[in-house]
Amino acid sequence: MQRLLVTGGAGFIGSNFVHYVLENTGDHVTVLDKLTYAGNLESLKGLPAERFRFVRGDICDASLVDGLVAAADVVVHYAAESHNDNSLQDPRPFLDTNIIGTYTLIEAARKHGTRFHHISTDEVYGDLELDDPERFTEDTPYNPSSPYSSTKAGSDLLVRAWVRSFGLQATISNCSNNYGPYQHVEKFIPRQITNVIDGIRPKLYGKGENVRDWIHASDHSAAVLAIIDRGLIGETYLIGADGEKNNKEVVELILQHMGQPMDAYDHVVDRPGHDLRYAIDSSKLRTELGWEPQFSNFDAGIEDTIAWYLDNGDWWRPQKAATEAKYKEQGQ
């Protein structure tokens, strides 16, 4: 049995990871989460009390972090400010959490000799042309486009430097766009699903040509566990499920699964600096660590996600009105 400290474990992919670990291992999990608007204790409801503990706090709080890291065998660092639109409105929280917070954690991990896994994003690589056959690999140069992705790139580089300079026992994973249960309704897929549930037409940025490489959150969780168990210290692993779809295709698939006309959506003003295409080559992870996604069929993954939001209105509805009001102010 390992003792895992999961930062940001009340957020979307963090909470999915916590559920996955407690359902598939005998490990004990402590979650450290500040409970900003994106963190939700309801996402951790019903977990086994004998193997789960929640601590509310800030990853920038060095004293708190030091004690929690000292008691852990592994730190899994999900905590991040992550919404591109928010980073364009107010970049400062992204610097505080993604840079200073990561620094605080890796300093504690270095002090106590604790294994550290850093969760990052494919957005640090910038974007690809829509007709480019290439995909991101572990050797792709960083070229971030937004305050969000640039601060995530900075946090990656901090972890790499601490491995080289101080012997930090760390690995990094850069994952493509996640979808699945417990995702805040400000994000693209749950926003469209909950709009249809509420009788609101889905919203599509620009022409909807932007391509993302989608992966179900449970597949991301399985990949992170594989890296913690079998990954080589100092290595970076890209996580992707070959799920490239443009935003127009995603909206139309959601409408189709929910019994609506496939053209029943509205175009809205595009996001500034909107990256064109992300695409992940996860060959290293698959070949070296033997990981494979279970939701290799995006259609099945979307159907599963729609069913979750239909069944869990009590979880997402408190967020919905304020989220849509904010988008309306932005013309989106």
Side-chain angles (χ1 to χ4, degrees):
M1 184 189 76
Q2 294 189 106
R3 298 166 299 168
L4 272 59
L5 173 63
V6 180
T7 71
F12 165 43
I13 54 175
S15 63
N16 273 278
F17 178 73
V18 171
H19 280 274
Y20 191 90
V21 168
L22 292 173
E23 290 168 7
N24 291 279
T25 76
D27 293 344
H28 183 281
V29 175
T30 296
V31 165
L32 172 62
D33 199 294
K34 191 177 178 180
L35 291 183
T36 62
Y37 79 96
N40 190 340
L41 271 180
E42 289 297 305
S43 302
L44 301 171
K45 194 174 180 179
L47 296 175
E50 69 278 6
R51 292 198 294 130
F52 172 73
R53 175 189 176 207
F54 178 80
V55 176
R56 183 171 186 173
D58 191 337
I59 60 171
C60 296
D61 182 339
S63 177
L64 174 63
V65 163
D66 185 79
L68 293 172
V69 171
D73 300 309
V74 183
V75 176
V76 192
H77 178 31
Y78 282 93
E81 292 285 347
S82 66
H83 191 44
N84 267 307
D85 289 341
N86 292 345
S87 80
L88 295 167
Q89 297 295 320
D90 182 12
R92 180 54 192 262
F94 292 76
L95 292 163
D96 293 337
T97 298
N98 299 351
I99 299 294
I100 302 302
T102 299
Y103 161 76
T104 304
L105 286 161
I106 58 179
E107 276 290 89
R110 172 167 78 106
K111 174 183 175 182
H112 297 289
T114 307
R115 173 78 166 87
F116 189 88
H117 182 69
H118 179 62
I119 306 294
S120 191
T121 170
D122 58 356
E123 296 189 43
V124 300
Y125 301 113
D127 61 349
L128 301 163
E129 295 296 328
L130 294 178
D131 58 355
D132 189 342
E134 294 300 314
R135 295 187 290 171
F136 299 137
T137 73
E138 288 80 2
D139 297 320
T140 301
Y142 279 19
N143 186 29
S145 305
S146 70
Y148 160 57
S149 56
S150 63
T151 55
K152 286 301 291 183
S155 68
D156 293 6
L157 296 177
L158 285 174
V159 175
R160 290 184 183 182
W162 260 241
V163 171
R164 181 168 177 175
S165 297
F166 303 120
L168 182 70
Q169 297 294 292
T171 45
I172 298 171
S173 57
N174 297 81
C175 191
S176 56
N177 283 55
N178 281 228
Y179 69 98
Y182 303 113
Q183 189 172 25
H184 194 285
V185 293
E186 71 181 4
K187 300 291 189 174
F188 179 63
I189 286 179
R191 185 186 183 202
Q192 313 316 324
I193 292 171
T194 54
N195 274 352
V196 176
I197 292 172
D198 280 352
I200 303 170
R201 288 168 66 90
K203 312 300 181 188
L204 191 63
Y205 282 146
K207 296 180 180 179
E209 294 176 342
N210 306 72
V211 173
R212 298 295 178 260
D213 191 350
W214 295 99
I215 182 172
H216 196 281
S218 65
D219 284 330
H220 186 183
S221 298
V224 169
L225 267 189
I227 296 167
I228 291 169
D229 291 342
R230 304 188 295 279
L232 297 179
I233 297 301
E235 291 294 312
T236 294
Y237 297 88
L238 266 59
I239 305 174
D242 299 328
E244 283 190 62
K245 298 284 183 185
N246 69 38
N247 290 346
K248 182 174 179 288
E249 292 173 317
V250 174
V251 167
E252 290 176 348
L253 185 61
I254 290 169
L255 286 165
Q256 179 184 344
H257 275 294
M258 300 185 76
Q260 300 294 313
M262 290 175 63
D263 61 352
Y265 57 86
D266 297 325
H267 293 273
V268 295
V269 61
D270 206 352
R271 169 194 294 156
H274 198 176
D275 287 344
L276 291 176
R277 172 174 165 258
Y278 306 147
I280 285 283
D281 182 346
S282 58
S283 300
K284 177 179 175 180
L285 176 67
R286 298 179 190 228
T287 302
E288 296 184 9
L289 304 187
W291 171 85
E292 292 287 342
Q294 296 303 304
F295 281 98
S296 55
N297 184 327
F298 181 70
D299 190 285
I302 282 291
E303 189 172 17
D304 177 85
T305 303
I306 290 170
W308 190 88
Y309 281 91
L310 284 168
D311 291 342
N312 289 275
D314 290 346
W315 182 89
W316 58 262
R317 193 161 295 285
Q319 314 162 1
K320 185 63 176 174
T323 298
E324 289 304 315
K326 185 172 70 172
Y327 274 122
K328 187 174 181 180
E329 287 179 5
Q330 300 168 3
Q332 298 172 331

